[in-house]
Amino acid sequence: VNIYHDLDNNPLWIKTNSKLGSGEEIYVEFNDQDGGEAGGIYIWFGDKLDYRIGGCTSNYKAFPTTPPTTVDKVWNITLDKTSGIRVIIHCNGVEVLDVL
């Protein structure tokens, strides 16, 4: 599913009911001003929840803060450009990632 969203001005909210071990994935692609791919965020529902930053890392890593264990999750992805480009992810209200 492709959904175009202005992450510069509005956080992105995604609701999931994926179970650990399902192999399902969330992928939020970032585009440059010309529409070309400029990285993104991957969240993988493996044996544990892992993430990777597309265009920056090739390996999945564990979140610095473990996301809540409930199956139903609400993800809030925010882009903050006040000091560099920072991606902040909350899961069910818990900040699980803040990366520059």
Side-chain angles (χ1 to χ4, degrees):
V1 173
N2 288 326
I3 300 170
Y4 296 95
H5 182 80
D6 180 7
L7 198 56
D8 282 332
N9 295 303
N10 300 291
L12 177 63
W13 294 84
I14 300 171
K15 184 173 183 180
T16 61
N17 62 357
S18 300
K19 295 180 181 176
L20 289 180
S22 69
E24 294 178 331
E25 184 175 60
I26 298 170
Y27 175 50
V28 176
E29 180 181 288
F30 301 142
N31 297 101
D32 61 22
Q33 61 190 8
D34 298 322
E37 188 174 347
I41 298 287
Y42 295 80
I43 299 173
W44 184 58
F45 291 81
D47 294 335
K48 58 184 176 28
L49 280 168
D50 290 327
Y51 78 96
R52 85 176 175 88
I53 309 294
C56 295
T57 60
S58 58
N59 297 323
Y60 282 89
K61 298 195 275 186
F63 282 96
T65 301
T66 303
T69 57
T70 57
V71 172
D72 292 326
K73 293 178 175 49
V74 177
W75 302 87
N76 176 339
I77 301 172
T78 305
L79 192 62
D80 180 349
K81 293 185 174 179
T82 56
S83 176
I85 299 175
R86 182 173 298 281
V87 175
I88 303 165
I89 300 177
H90 288 82
C91 179
N92 292 359
V94 176
E95 186 176 291
V96 294
L97 184 68
D98 183 343
V99 65
L100 184 60

